Amino acid sequence: MSYVPPHLRSSSRTTTTTTTTTTAKPSSRTLDDQSKLSSSNSHINNDKSSGGASFSSFSHSNVSSRWSSGALSQASRARPDSVVPQWKPSDRVLGMKPEMIEEVCLRLNLDVSVSPDSASAPAPIESFTDMCLHPSIMKDIDNHGYTTPTSIQAQAMPVALSGRDLLGCAETGSGKTAAFTIPMIQHCLAQPPVQRGDGPLALVLAPTRELAQQIEKEVKAFSASLESFRTAIVVGGTNISEQRSELRAGVDVVVATPGRFIDHLQQRNTSLTRISFVVLDEADRMLDMGFEPQIREVMRNLSEKHQTLLFSATMPEEIEELAQEYLTKPVQVKVGKVSSPTANVTQTLEKVPESEKTDRLLALLVEEASRVEGTGHPFPLTIVFVERKTRCDEVAEALVAQGLHAVALHGGRTQTEREAALRDFRKGTTSILVATDVASRGLDVSGVAHVINLDLPKSMEDYVHRIGRTGRAGSMGQSTSFYTDRDMFLVANIKKAISDAGSGNAVAFATGKTARRKEKEAAAAQKQARVALSNSSTAGPASANIEDKYRFMFADSNNKKEGAADSAWDD
Ligand SMILES: Nc1ncnc2c1ncn2[C@@H]1O[C@H](COP(=O)(O)OP(=O)(O)OP(=O)(O)O)[C@@H](O)[C@H]1O
């Protein structure tokens, strides 16, 4: 196959209208659901500060929110108090001795810590049965095919079920979603039923629409057997009026991107009044994307008695700052080394001049296509990450022109296009997804075999999340990253990760603002050095002899600061 450059081809993308996805089940919670729940709970008290106390005396009078009270039409009706489910694990777990707990933590590679003035963390639980969950949730866990909790689930679930705040960190693809989804549903079942005009009982905020939609599916899956459980997805790019009716009717759980959720609060379509369970998934990404004001606004206006869970595969210092501000005596659960690439992915680095990247990508993919041809196997699902939206379209077009099944996913496409791209990729009808960082966090597509970084990301954190789209849930994956001279600082880190993984030594990277500043400074210093070298080796200020491979560094388009928003902004 020969490569046709993008400028010689025509683009025929169409724009379509938007849709909305919401879940509504008819009636409010049945008595049966609640009686099953109380039988699955014990009668110990739970308290965030002590590890167990009752929230039953909770009152909303101290909530100073613009949105939290009186936001909806039925504001005059007294809101029921939130309840901390009086949960306890099985007697077997309750009887575990400290040395047994230590042995389980060691075996599951768990690092659990609490602040000195708070109660110790609940014991990790190695079976779903030992969690004494509502029978319908147990049924749905079974239907989902989960037999044993993953390490993060083993520890995070009992923490969440006991009403404590949590800072959870575990590698990509390790099951963090169910670690909060399952306890969240159990928590909601213990609350007085939601009525029309009530705000939700639980809120999950996620950085991108795709991730929010995926989490909503997971909530639905684990609440499928609960007749009355209602979940709403609230993301930008979809029909706001349908979301409004859904929210006003009253839902148990809202899964949202921050911007759109704030829109609904401002329009008084929902409120924070009844929220007693909050999850910030990929919180560091939300901060990166500029959602900090929205997150703070929500967190500041919540009722006093609520529990908060923060999850990510990387734990930059901003997250720890956020945790300090908004978590009350949290239990910190870390699985393995924090912020390191998953050991399930074989990482390869390849130096490719900027101008040759697309050709090299095509060669790689065409070679792969010939390898599977005639074997009866489909082309392995592959994600190609690029830096910018425009490049994303160009690369996808280049691949399609070669007869490969590729589609672009980025924040510049319509919601319908984004959903269709991901749906086709999930189904396998499109085997190559060319994406910006909008797809780098949390996306779980089973069978992704290869992640290719056509452009390296800006930080090690993003690298860890990107390559974590493969090698999930214990499967093995492969990553190939192209790099140029401008990426040398990041490349040094990746090389270290590869050599450490080779020696069985997962390495934790410095992450967060400081690390990113250092990465930027190092890149700028390298660039300056190259400019100086280039100037001194050429005849004059025109620097006409800049090698082609360095030209991108001087081109105007390269200086345009499109920022994280270009790759991943969502609302
Ligand atoms: N206990 C379990 N048993 C079997 N499969 C599981 C279990 N828990 C989660 N999984 C599966 O593992 C995959 C990864 O889970 P999930 O998407 O929650 O990972 P994650 O830790 O949130 O990853 P990321 O950091 O990339 O967001 C999913 O396909 C999920 O269905």
Side-chain angles (χ1 to χ4, degrees):
M1 293 184 193
S2 62
Y3 166 55
V4 184
H7 65 276
L8 296 180
R9 294 188 301 273
S10 61
S11 161
S12 62
R13 271 209 303 119
T14 53
T15 305
T16 38
T17 51
T18 59
T19 57
T20 189
T21 342
T22 49
T23 311
K25 287 181 189 170
S27 57
S28 59
R29 182 157 310 119
T30 60
L31 283 174
D32 188 40
D33 289 343
Q34 286 204 314
S35 66
K36 281 180 188 159
L37 179 73
S38 44
S39 69
S40 73
N41 287 334
S42 80
H43 298 284
I44 58 160
N45 284 336
N46 291 313
D47 181 345
K48 270 161 75 161
S49 55
S50 66
S54 170
F55 281 6
S56 56
S57 62
F58 165 58
S59 131
H60 293 294
S61 59
N62 49 4
V63 177
S64 62
S65 168
R66 295 187 274 163
W67 306 315
S68 56
S69 61
L72 298 169
S73 53
Q74 298 183 12
S76 54
R77 178 167 56 76
R79 305 277 174 221
D81 288 346
S82 65
V83 173
V84 164
Q86 296 177 332
W87 174 85
K88 71 165 184 173
S90 67
D91 289 342
R92 190 193 72 77
V93 173
L94 283 175
M96 276 169 80
K97 301 217 158 37
E99 51 283 11
M100 288 166 74
I101 295 178
E102 205 174 315
E103 186 274 318
V104 175
C105 286
L106 256 177
R107 188 154 33 82
L108 298 182
N109 207 5
L110 287 168
D111 175 359
V112 186
S113 58
V114 292
S115 56
D117 55 342
S118 58
S120 55
I125 293 175
E126 289 189 277
S127 82
F128 290 113
T129 318
D130 275 335
M131 291 194 209
C132 299
L133 296 162
H134 186 287
S136 295
I137 303 179
M138 284 304 290
K139 186 173 158 203
D140 291 328
I141 291 175
D142 201 38
N143 290 342
H144 214 58
Y146 289 8
T147 52
T148 315
T150 63
S151 292
I152 185 72
Q153 292 164 2
Q155 183 63 78
M157 284 185 180
V159 170
L161 289 164
S162 64
R164 305 272 299 261
D165 282 2
L166 172 81
L167 183 57
C169 187
E171 69 174 15
T172 49
S174 59
K176 294 187 287 295
T177 316
F180 62 77
T181 305
I182 291 171
M184 176 171 72
I185 298 167
Q186 174 94 3
H187 174 98
C188 291
L189 291 178
Q191 309 305 316
V194 169
Q195 295 185 23
R196 185 168 185 81
D198 279 353
L201 305 171
L203 171 68
V204 183
L205 292 178
T208 63
R209 297 171 191 173
E210 283 76 12
L211 181 54
Q213 285 166 332
Q214 187 179 291
I215 295 168
E216 183 232 8
K217 280 207 176 74
E218 197 95 336
V219 181
K220 281 188 194 171
F222 291 119
S223 58
S225 304
L226 291 161
E227 273 293 295
S228 56
F229 204 88
R230 286 163 296 175
T231 305
I233 172 84
V234 165
V235 295
T238 53
N239 188 327
I240 198 163
S241 60
E242 285 181 35
Q243 290 173 1
R244 183 184 304 123
S245 338
E246 185 76 17
L247 290 171
R248 289 188 167 190
V251 293
D252 295 86
V253 173
V254 168
V255 185
T257 45
R260 180 55 73 91
F261 185 66
I262 295 280
D263 286 348
H264 281 291
L265 284 171
Q266 285 170 342
Q267 291 180 17
R268 305 196 163 229
N269 299 329
T270 189
S271 79
L272 303 174
T273 325
R274 291 207 56 195
I275 294 176
S276 51
F277 194 106
V278 181
V279 181
L280 304 178
D281 194 23
E282 309 285 359
D284 53 330
R285 184 68 179 163
M286 288 196 276
L287 298 185
D288 267 0
M289 288 164 71
F291 281 136
E292 192 167 343
Q294 284 88 345
I295 291 173
R296 287 187 189 281
E297 200 67 33
V298 168
M299 295 307 292
R300 266 197 230 115
N301 288 290
L302 286 169
S303 312
E304 195 186 316
K305 299 288 172 67
H306 62 269
Q307 65 179 119
T308 308
L309 285 69
L310 250 76
F311 279 95
S312 182
T314 49
M315 205 49 70
E317 61 205 42
E318 295 92 301
I319 289 290
E320 306 207 359
E321 283 164 21
L322 199 74
Q324 271 183 3
E325 204 173 337
Y326 294 114
L327 302 190
T328 309
K329 296 183 179 176
V331 179
Q332 279 204 28
V333 180
K334 294 176 181 172
V335 182
K337 281 265 171 53
V338 172
S339 304
S340 59
T342 167
N344 295 350
V345 178
T346 311
Q347 303 168 62
T348 307
L349 275 167
E350 211 179 306
K351 192 168 179 184
V352 182
E354 191 63 34
S355 56
E356 292 170 24
K357 279 180 173 177
T358 313
D359 284 337
R360 178 66 196 118
L361 173 72
L362 279 163
L364 199 74
L365 294 173
V366 167
E367 198 183 308
E368 186 64 58
S370 345
R371 206 174 14 246
V372 291
E373 214 170 71
T375 63
H377 293 296
F379 189 94
L381 291 189
T382 302
I383 303 181
V384 179
F385 281 107
V386 299
E387 197 182 338
R388 295 199 171 88
K389 291 186 262 195
T390 44
R391 185 157 163 85
C392 197
D393 289 328
E394 285 173 6
V395 171
E397 284 163 20
L399 301 187
V400 170
Q402 292 305 298
L404 294 161
H405 297 288
V407 68
L409 176 67
H410 57 73
R413 303 202 75 188
T414 65
Q415 184 59 19
T416 312
E417 287 170 333
R418 283 167 70 160
E419 285 177 17
L422 198 53
R423 193 175 48 241
D424 290 349
F425 187 59
R426 280 188 199 283
K427 279 197 300 203
T429 44
T430 305
S431 44
I432 304 165
L433 185 73
V434 185
T436 59
D437 273 317
V438 78
S440 68
R441 294 280 182 140
L443 273 201
D444 182 61
V445 177
S446 72
V448 173
H450 198 176
V451 168
I452 301 173
N453 285 310
L454 188 74
D455 302 313
L456 272 185
K458 291 188 181 66
S459 71
M460 197 61 198
E461 275 155 45
D462 289 338
Y463 176 80
V464 167
H465 285 277
R466 280 186 182 184
I467 71 164
R469 296 316 100 209
T470 178
R472 300 174 70 73
S475 67
M476 294 304 291
Q478 187 195 348
S479 75
T480 306
S481 301
F482 295 168
Y483 69 96
T484 64
D485 288 302
R486 71 170 177 162
D487 303 310
M488 289 321 286
F489 185 79
L490 195 58
V491 167
N493 269 337
I494 297 170
K495 282 185 175 163
K496 182 154 174 37
I498 296 172
S499 78
D500 284 356
S503 61
N505 216 354
V507 68
F509 291 93
T511 54
K513 276 183 206 152
T514 317
R516 279 199 295 277
R517 198 187 59 238
K518 281 190 186 153
E519 281 167 6
K520 271 187 203 146
E521 281 168 5
Q526 279 183 348
K527 182 173 167 180
Q528 253 182 357
R530 275 195 301 275
V531 172
L533 191 70
S534 168
N535 283 345
S536 66
S537 64
T538 54
S543 299
N545 293 342
I546 298 165
E547 272 186 68
D548 256 4
K549 66 181 175 189
Y550 295 137
R551 256 181 222 292
F552 70 94
M553 291 179 179
F554 304 93
D556 267 359
S557 63
N558 198 55
N559 295 332
K560 243 189 269 159
K561 180 141 183 15
E562 293 184 69
D566 173 58
S567 51
W569 186 269
D570 257 331
D571 53 6

